[in-house]
């Protein structure tokens, strides 16, 4: 479904991605692991068209994404929850969710997506008229993930959804992500520093080191790989 081929991205003189290739099949959860600065967020930004492609190709099915603008990429079914939540604190929960559906012309589809978001995150329904800034950190993270459901996605790009959350909330958010994946059949490209949790829930995984993919395979294999255990699983 999603394919990256030899993707290179630079920020001025900084080469953030050095020819990475990866693949996400329909309905899969694929984890992208790596240390701080490895290029994980840049990979997601490249897919959603926020940073310009240096060279290489990014495709969703037969569609070449590299020529498209971010809102056109959202219309192709790719929805991105960026690093650091990026919710609008002065807007209500409902208004934040509505913004996630701005690419949809169809009001009935927007309403159905809102019900879907509330189905997975009932707390957001309870808090729908509250300003987002008044939510707890965990609830704000839930809002960021819930907002991705508003554009009828086929692929979610989730950038460190567990960052800064207490262990109990980490389990909770991963359970919900897993449930969304199963019930909606949406594929998920999951960026995580929490490699333990990510490998537990993913079908396949890639390890990124300073802009290069150094390991890839079924998540269960990577979880047993001595290199991965030593570097990322606290072995
Ligand atoms: N806006 C930017 N301008 C310049 N360099 C950047 C910018 N964003 C990221 N970088 C650099 O690109 C590399 C990859 O960053 P990033 O994709 O954010 O890594 P990760 O998400 O894995 O922590 C790092 O060296 C980082 O310093
Ligand atoms: Mg990052």
């Amino acid at each position: 479904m999603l394919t990256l081929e030899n993707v290179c991205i630079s920020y001025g003189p900084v080469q953030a991605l050095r020819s990475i290739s990866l693949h996400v099949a329909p309905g899969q959860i694929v984890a992208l692991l790596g240390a701080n600065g490895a290029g994980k967020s840049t990979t997601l930004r490249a897919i959603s068209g926020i940073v310009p492609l240096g060279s290489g190709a990014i495709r969703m099915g037969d569609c070449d994404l590299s020529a498209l603008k971010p809102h056109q990429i959202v219309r192709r079914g790719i929805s991105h929850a960026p690093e650091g939540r990026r919710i609008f604190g002065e807007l209500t929960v409902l208004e934040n969710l509505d913004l996630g559906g701005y690419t949809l012309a169809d009001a009935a589809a927007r309403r159905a997506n809102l019900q879907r978001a509330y189905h997975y995150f009932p707390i957001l329904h309870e808090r729908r008229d509250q300003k987002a800034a008044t939510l707890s950190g965990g609830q704000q993270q839930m809002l960021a993930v819930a907002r991705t459901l508003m554009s009828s996605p086929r692929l979610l790009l989730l950038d460190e959804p567990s960052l800064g959350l207490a262990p109990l909330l980490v389990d909770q958010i991963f359970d919900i992500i897993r449930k969304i994946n199963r019930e909606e059949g949406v594929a998920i490209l999951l960026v995580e520093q929490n490699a333990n949790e990510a490998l537990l829930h993913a079908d396949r995984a890639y390890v990124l080191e300073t802009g290069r993919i150094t390991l890839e395979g079924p998540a269960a294999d990577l979880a047993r790989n001595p290199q991965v255990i030593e570097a990322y699983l606290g072995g």
Side-chain angles (χ1 to χ4, degrees):
M1 179 169 71
L2 176 78
T3 309
L4 276 66
E5 252 174 52
N6 305 320
V7 167
C8 297
I9 303 273
S10 298
Y11 298 101
V14 179
Q15 239 192 314
L17 296 182
R18 302 156 190 258
S19 192
I20 75 157
S21 298
L22 65 81
H23 180 71
V24 181
Q28 267 190 343
I29 299 182
V30 175
L32 187 55
L33 310 175
N36 226 336
K40 304 179 299 296
S41 297
T42 300
T43 304
L44 299 194
R45 286 188 213 122
I47 297 165
S48 47
I50 303 166
V51 294
L53 195 59
S55 61
I58 304 180
R59 278 189 293 275
M60 179 79 163
D62 299 333
C63 174
D64 177 8
L65 298 184
S66 51
L68 301 182
K69 301 230 151 49
H71 71 275
Q72 296 171 313
I73 293 172
V74 175
R75 284 207 188 97
R76 295 277 165 180
I78 299 179
S79 195
H80 185 176
E83 196 170 23
R85 295 163 197 163
R86 303 288 169 78
I87 55 165
F88 298 94
E90 287 304 302
L91 301 183
T92 67
V93 168
L94 174 58
E95 288 164 343
N96 269 278
L97 289 172
D98 270 339
L99 282 174
Y102 81 102
T103 54
L104 295 182
D106 178 0
R110 284 209 301 272
R111 275 196 301 278
N113 288 341
L114 186 61
Q115 290 321 307
R116 225 192 309 274
Y118 289 151
H119 162 72
Y120 292 107
F121 301 96
I123 187 75
L124 297 179
H125 183 251
E126 277 174 41
R127 305 274 155 99
R128 61 191 179 279
D129 295 322
Q130 260 177 246
K131 281 189 180 179
T134 66
L135 299 177
S136 70
Q139 291 164 356
Q140 291 186 14
Q141 194 58 273
M142 288 181 186
L143 178 55
V145 176
R147 191 171 54 186
T148 65
L149 297 176
M150 294 297 296
S151 55
S152 304
R154 288 184 292 146
L155 170 67
L156 305 184
L157 309 176
L158 304 182
D159 201 339
E160 308 214 25
S162 76
L163 190 70
L165 301 186
L168 207 64
L169 278 173
V170 171
D171 286 344
Q172 200 183 343
I173 199 133
F174 277 112
D175 285 346
I176 299 172
I177 288 168
R178 189 66 178 267
K179 194 169 161 204
I180 292 169
N181 166 256
R182 281 212 212 94
E183 291 182 9
E184 306 294 326
V186 289
I188 296 174
L189 181 55
L190 175 68
V191 161
E192 265 297 335
Q193 290 212 30
N194 190 335
N196 274 306
E197 283 282 348
L199 290 176
L200 197 61
H201 295 288
D203 299 299
R204 292 175 51 252
Y206 293 85
V207 174
L208 202 54
E209 285 178 34
T210 54
R212 286 194 179 86
I213 287 171
T214 52
L215 282 169
E216 65 178 278
D221 291 357
L222 287 193
R224 282 193 299 264
N225 180 309
Q227 268 172 281
V228 175
I229 292 171
E230 196 190 330
Y232 301 104
L233 299 178

